[in-house]
Amino acid sequence: MPGHFTFDSSTTVRAEGGARGAAKLLRTLLAPATGLPLPTSTTGTVVIVLDPYLRGLGTEGYGLTIAPNAVLLRAARPAGLLNGVQTIRQLLPAEALSPRPVAGVPWRMPCGQITDVPRYRWRGAMLDVARHFQPVSFLRRFTDLLALHKMNTLHLHLTDDQGWRMPVSAYPRLTEVGGVRSRTLLGPADSDQYDDTPHAGAYTAGQLRGLVAYAAERGVTVVPEIEMPGHARAALAAYPELGNVPGRQLDVWTRWGVCENVLGVHDGVLEFCRTVLGEVMDVFPSPYVHIGGDECPATEWESSPVALRRTAELGLAAPKALHGWFLGRIGAFLLAAGRRPLCWAEDSGALPPDFTVMPWRDTEHGLAAARRGHDVVMAPYRSTYLDYPQSDDPGEPLGQQGVVDLPAAHRGGAPTGWEPESAARVLGTQGQLWSEFIRTPEQIEYLAFPRLAALADRAWNPASEWSTDFLPALRVHETRLTALGVAHRATPPRRGTPLPGTTPH
């Protein structure tokens, strides 16, 4: 269809009922750069419609028709309309994404017709705010960046050995003590170089509720993660009675890696976890609650009289088996509350049957989980851990040993060659931004982009081909990242020039 539709001062919007949220978002997102009010009108030239009979579009698909004198955005569900709003932004000049007024730009987009349905229903990014705290203002900005890329899940890693950021009114020392680290390791786990400046930070319940609402208006669900029974030293520093050694006082851990200090298995610990998760669920309405669950050494359980007694009472073969028992008890609590328990999987071992699993070590662990009947969100570190350097260039920021380059991110951990029954268990994929070595929002954005754009591309469109589809689109998309002021790695060389560490396709 030839021609363009132009947004100008006379453009009005028609939206009723459940479509009003998308109209509000369109105004909110376009106003800073364009200054256009886009008022409501029963004869609006931009028509946004919810039509439940468009079942072929699913929950998040949409149809967009652009003619010279009108725009029609339709979807079966509000989430689809929100995705369509992001497409309108992408079709406009990149300057439309600027946070400041831009003059002299015709706000027009090409005529045409788009029908768009995502491949996966889980398209997310995990942000670790436990190791290095980030302000709510950045969490909102990061949410906006996810929404622009039609990613629908912000997974917040709120607690770990090195910090506790989630407020719990019943246990105020979790943030008062557990939220403060005396110093920060500057290198790998075996390094001995520290920044002796204390690192602290915690959110209020009001801030987190505000973030949840802000994200929902953009079609993004915030999934909280509270680590247990391992990665819990910050909680043990605040409440030593939760541990396995009576009377021992630990500090918030100042090293990286896997800490052997884990939660005990006595009844008081289970009550603590239920109370914490009860407050978490009060703040986060997400259907899923992540409880970590991996990297839990059994060293302390093997020498704890309480853990040994619990092992015997349950008829377990060894204290290590308390891990599955613990997850099962917590999972049952979440299920009874109407939520779905979610955990990391570091191997192919059995997990409680009702858990949704995030396999992070290997794609094959995801296949094993799917074959056992688990829903799976793929997160293999070789393609989704964006805290790894983007190349072997010595100028890259400090990160884990290894490289996750842009082609790997474009593969996105999506499984290939699985039997249909197992493939149907894959809910989606997400990128991980662990923050041992990430301190600032600018560092997060540089590591995330454009790799997160690559992962988002394949999570939405399985047919996207690296060299003929994604790379040409990325070169255009870089202008949008620049307009938004996103710190990002430069676009790769044009076709025919290999990326560092790759071979030409």
Side-chain angles (χ1 to χ4, degrees):
M1 187 184 302
H4 293 81
F5 176 88
T6 300
F7 285 87
D8 58 27
S9 59
S10 67
T11 304
T12 56
V13 178
R14 187 176 80 193
E16 298 177 355
R20 292 192 181 111
K24 177 183 176 183
L25 182 64
L26 182 67
R27 293 186 192 96
T28 298
L29 294 175
L30 295 189
T34 70
L36 298 176
L38 304 180
T40 299
S41 171
T42 56
T43 59
T45 48
V46 176
V47 181
I48 303 177
V49 177
L50 266 182
D51 184 350
Y53 293 101
L54 297 172
R55 297 186 182 92
L57 296 178
T59 301
E60 293 186 274
Y62 63 92
L64 179 63
T65 301
I66 304 168
N69 58 352
V71 173
L72 174 62
L73 172 60
R74 300 191 302 160
R77 302 288 295 275
L81 295 179
L82 299 178
N83 286 323
V85 167
Q86 299 296 342
T87 293
I88 290 173
R89 295 178 79 199
Q90 293 167 358
L91 291 172
L92 287 166
E95 293 87 347
L97 280 70
S98 172
R100 292 172 292 278
V102 179
V105 175
W107 304 115
R108 65 183 190 180
M109 53 186 183
C111 293
Q113 190 163 0
I114 298 171
T115 301
D116 212 3
V117 180
R119 173 192 197 182
Y120 287 134
R121 52 179 164 150
W122 187 298
R123 306 176 306 282
M126 188 283 301
L127 185 57
D128 171 16
V129 295
R131 271 60 174 264
H132 278 101
F133 179 79
Q134 301 299 330
V136 170
S137 58
F138 176 69
L139 299 187
R140 291 190 173 210
R141 174 174 167 82
F142 194 68
T143 297
D144 276 320
L145 292 173
L146 294 184
L148 173 66
H149 292 82
K150 300 188 180 75
M151 302 187 86
N152 62 5
T153 303
L154 171 59
H155 170 180
L156 270 188
H157 185 80
L158 288 160
T159 74
D160 216 297
D161 296 309
Q162 299 86 1
W164 186 289
R165 314 300 175 198
M166 170 75 200
V168 181
S169 62
Y171 295 96
R173 286 173 59 84
L174 287 172
T175 51
E176 293 170 0
V177 175
V180 182
R181 184 171 67 241
S182 64
R183 59 181 186 169
T184 297
L185 188 64
L186 293 176
D190 58 357
S191 171
D192 200 29
Q193 296 181 348
Y194 284 91
D195 176 352
D196 289 324
T197 305
H199 181 80
Y203 303 106
T204 68
Q207 286 175 326
L208 292 174
R209 286 193 177 95
L211 174 66
V212 167
Y214 184 89
E217 291 173 352
R218 288 149 178 80
V220 176
T221 298
V222 184
V223 174
E225 179 180 355
I226 306 295
E227 285 268 15
M228 60 184 72
H231 287 283
R233 181 153 162 168
L236 297 174
Y239 294 97
E241 65 271 21
L242 299 174
N244 294 284
V245 181
R248 178 181 61 184
Q249 180 63 60
L250 297 168
D251 61 355
V252 176
W253 211 31
T254 59
R255 302 198 66 82
W256 311 133
V258 179
C259 181
E260 70 173 22
N261 307 126
V262 303
L263 292 175
V265 292
H266 44 288
D267 290 343
V269 171
L270 295 174
E271 181 58 31
F272 163 81
C273 292
R274 288 190 287 262
T275 300
V276 168
L277 291 174
E279 294 201 25
V280 168
M281 288 187 286
D282 187 55
V283 172
F284 297 94
S286 161
Y288 292 88
V289 176
H290 204 303
I291 59 169
D294 69 334
E295 296 183 327
C296 180
T299 307
E300 291 189 342
W301 292 343
E302 290 167 352
S303 59
S304 163
V306 174
L308 292 171
R309 186 166 57 250
R310 180 78 82 179
T311 302
E313 291 170 353
L314 295 170
L316 301 176
K320 183 178 181 180
L322 289 167
H323 178 257
W325 168 82
F326 191 105
L327 293 183
R329 294 293 297 273
I330 298 303
F333 170 74
L334 292 173
L335 288 167
R339 307 299 180 93
R340 302 173 194 170
L342 182 61
C343 72
W344 300 106
E346 60 187 308
D347 55 32
S348 296
L351 290 163
D354 293 311
F355 271 71
T356 296
V357 174
M358 284 186 173
W360 64 268
R361 281 194 184 274
D362 197 288
T363 300
E364 290 305 306
H365 297 160
L367 177 58
R371 284 174 172 169
R372 287 195 301 269
H374 294 281
D375 287 341
V376 175
V377 177
M378 298 301 294
Y381 76 94
R382 293 181 182 90
S383 57
T384 70
Y385 273 36
L386 307 185
D387 54 309
Y388 277 66
Q390 303 183 65
S391 77
D392 54 10
D393 186 325
E396 284 292 298
L398 178 66
Q400 306 292 347
Q401 289 191 352
V403 170
V404 174
D405 62 16
L406 192 59
H410 193 248
R411 291 191 291 273
T416 57
W418 290 16
E419 63 270 14
E421 296 82 3
S422 297
R425 288 282 184 180
V426 178
L427 301 182
T429 185
Q430 69 175 30
Q432 278 55 246
L433 286 155
W434 300 104
S435 68
E436 288 94 335
F437 308 118
I438 306 175
R439 294 188 167 209
T440 67
E442 292 75 19
Q443 290 171 332
I444 291 171
E445 290 184 8
Y446 176 81
L447 290 168
F449 295 100
R451 290 183 294 182
L452 201 57
L455 190 146
D457 180 60
R458 285 298 295 277
W460 187 280
N461 177 18
S464 176
E465 203 278 331
W466 162 255
S467 59
T468 59
D469 296 319
F470 175 69
L471 276 184
L474 177 60
R475 294 189 179 100
V476 175
H477 187 62
E478 186 178 26
T479 63
R480 302 185 187 110
L481 296 177
T482 299
L484 284 163
V486 174
H488 62 282
R489 183 175 169 85
T491 301
R494 291 194 174 275
R495 189 178 182 186
T497 304
L499 293 168
T502 69
T503 54
H505 289 268

